[in-house]
Each structure stands twice: as C-alpha cells, then as structure tokens.
Amino acid sequence: MKAGFWTAPEGAEQPISVFPIGEESLNAASGSLTAAGALAKLATLDSAELARSCPNAVELLSKVADVIAGQKADAPTQLFRLGNLNDLERRLIADVLGEGEVAGVVALPDGSLAQIQESVLAGLWRVRIETDGHHEYLEVGAIPEIVKRAAADLTSADFEIGQPPEGAMNVLPVLAEIRERALAWRPGARSQIINFTLLPMSPIDMSFLQQTIGNGPIQLVSRGYGTCRVLATGIRNVWSVQFFNAMDTIILDTLEVGGVPTVAIAADEDFEDSAERLKEIIEAYFK
C-alpha cells in the first residue's frame, strides 16, 4: 500500500498516552487503569477514611457528576481547577479517572505543549499545559476547548497551489477540491471526507499534497475499535484521519474537512453513561 498522507519518522512512537497517570495513582506499580481496574483498587480502601482524607476530591467529583449529567456535545465545555487538592486527593482523582480511549497533544505558540487525556468516563478530560508550573485541570465536554481553539487560531484559512513536481498525476484537482471545501465549510455543516485509499494518488502526489497543506498543531490518537490517528493539517478545517490494523498498517487513509473529527469527540450518550457511572462510584466508595 502506498504511503499515507502522514507517516511517522522511522523509529518514532505514536503519542498513545501522554499522562503518567499510573505514577500518580495510589498504587504506582499498577500502571494505567481501566474503569474496572480503578473501581477494584478503590474497593480495597476504606471509604470512610477516603472521604475524611480527601474531602476536596470527593466534592470535586460530585460537582463533575452533576455537570456531566447535563452536558451536551454541542454545548460549551466546563472546567474544574485542581489547585486546592492535596497530593493524596490528586492521586485519588487519577485513580477514579484512569485513562480512556483518546489522548493527544496541542502545540502552543509559546513553544509549550498542552497534553490531553480522556478519562475512562467519556467526555471527562484531563488537560495539562507543560509550562513551568504544569497548569492542570479537568474539563467536561465533547473535546477540550484548547483543541478547538488551536484548530481555529493556529492554522491558515487558505493556501496556494503551486506547480507540482514532475511525475505528479492527480494531485492538482484533489488540492483544488480540498481548498474549495475548506473555504466553504461552516460550523454545523456535515464533514466531508476524501478517501486516499481509493484514489489513484502516486507517492509524488501525496508528497506534494502534504507539503502544500502542511502539518498543524494537534495530534490525537484514539484507541477505540482499533487505532485511529487524527492530525490537524496546516489548513483550517482540514484533518488527516488514519485508521490502522493490529500490525500498525494503514487500512484507511483520509482527509476530513470539517470540525474536530467525530472519532475523537464524546457524544450525548457518552455524557449520560459517564454521569451514571461516576455517581455510582461516589455512592459506593465515598458515602
């Protein structure tokens, strides 16, 4: 199969997990947790002692549960600061949240990175901005606001189509289509997909296309049903979305014109399920 729109440099690893959550948990040797693993760990601890030792964490989780219950995918996100939590409370929050399917990084203009990690409760995110102070917070929403802001503010609205290199076949009409669709797309409209897996694009075509629209500031990886890598390109509203099999081979290579691709965002039913699960955790282990 021909190379996809974006391929990692040889030897480079995919950005699968950006938070060392296992190191922050109540039992560092356990590593990352699934939802069931997090609950099993909490079950070994005394609930009354946890509630007494971590009142701010319990209060925070209760507020988050109420917010998630009323959250919608198209509504603004809501943030929760972690500054008033002590070390034990932070580790407790890490255990409850665990690591969900989606993780990624956002490159910021000052050279720092914003790391995002979805929790095991879909629609509840942990965001850490890698400044000197490691600014960190929880966010309830379809996708953290910093992703949408970077996609809008740190990309170009338009691009020029230059002269293609010798040997190019079909890249010019594809670039013209991408440009037309990107300029015409508006929030609320359906995303449009260009499937490179089906198009007769040569390696020269793909190289020129990548050079023309460039790479953007956002990299996301979803570990749902298989692996999906989502990359913002340098052009606003244009995303590279690639699906991989168990051998890490691209099986579907696309460009998606629209908002943040749906494979990376939480849906309305995710919030309902997460609210119910979080309330069950609070009732079972802290009351």
Side-chain angles (χ1 to χ4, degrees), residues 10 50 103:
E10 186 175 356
L50 276 177

Side-chain angles (χ1 to χ4, degrees), residues 28-227:
S30 67
S32 301
L33 293 176
T34 63
L39 295 182
K41 179 180 291 186
L42 289 174
T44 66
L45 304 174
D46 180 79
S47 59
E49 181 62 26
L50 276 177
R52 286 194 298 269
S53 302
C54 305
N56 293 324
V58 176
E59 180 183 6
L60 175 62
L61 290 173
S62 298
K63 290 180 179 178
V64 169
D66 291 338
V67 167
I68 293 181
Q71 185 69 25
K72 298 296 181 182
D74 58 355
T77 64
Q78 301 189 57
L79 274 61
F80 296 86
R81 307 295 180 183
L82 303 178
N84 66 328
L85 302 184
N86 60 38
D87 290 342
L88 179 60
E89 289 174 324
R90 285 177 177 270
R91 293 196 296 271
L92 177 61
I93 292 292
D95 273 344
V96 172
L97 298 186
E99 294 183 6
E101 295 178 353
V102 181
V105 294
V106 179
L108 303 176
D110 62 1
S112 62
L113 289 178
Q115 298 182 333
I116 68 170
Q117 174 68 62
E118 188 178 34
S119 73
V120 294
L121 303 166
L124 174 56
W125 306 80
R126 190 172 172 187
V127 182
R128 178 183 295 164
I129 300 177
E130 294 294 345
T131 59
D132 292 339
H134 293 308
H135 180 54
E136 187 175 344
Y137 54 90
L138 303 183
E139 189 165 357
V140 174
I143 193 77
E145 182 66 20
I146 198 167
V147 174
K148 293 189 288 185
R149 289 291 300 274
D153 298 343
L154 304 181
T155 54
S156 299
D158 198 1
F159 63 96
E160 295 183 1
I161 303 175
Q163 183 67 30
E166 184 177 352
M169 296 169 49
N170 300 306
V171 68
L172 287 183
V174 173
L175 281 170
E177 181 180 359
I178 293 170
R179 182 173 184 269
E180 179 182 0
R181 291 186 178 187
L183 289 173
W185 188 84
R186 295 293 182 270
R190 290 184 60 183
S191 295
Q192 299 177 330
I193 297 174
I194 298 173
N195 187 346
F196 293 126
T197 308
L198 302 178
L199 285 174
M201 297 281 284
S202 70
I204 294 176
D205 285 331
M206 297 302 294
S207 177
F208 183 69
L209 187 148
Q210 200 280 335
Q211 292 172 14
T212 301
I213 65 177
N215 291 327
I218 303 162
Q219 297 184 14
L220 305 173
V221 171
S222 174
R223 289 291 194 183
Y225 298 101
T227 299

Side-chain angles (χ1 to χ4, degrees), residues 223-263:
R223 289 291 194 183
Y225 298 101
T227 299
C228 177
R229 182 170 59 220
V230 175
L231 301 172
T233 72
I235 306 306
R236 194 165 305 148
N237 305 324
V238 181
W239 304 78
S240 168
V241 182
Q242 298 173 315
F243 293 86
F244 297 80
N245 62 17
M247 302 299 293
D248 204 32
T249 301
I250 297 175
I251 57 175
L252 182 60
D253 185 29
T254 69
L255 277 187
E256 189 167 323
V257 180
V260 181
T262 56
V263 69

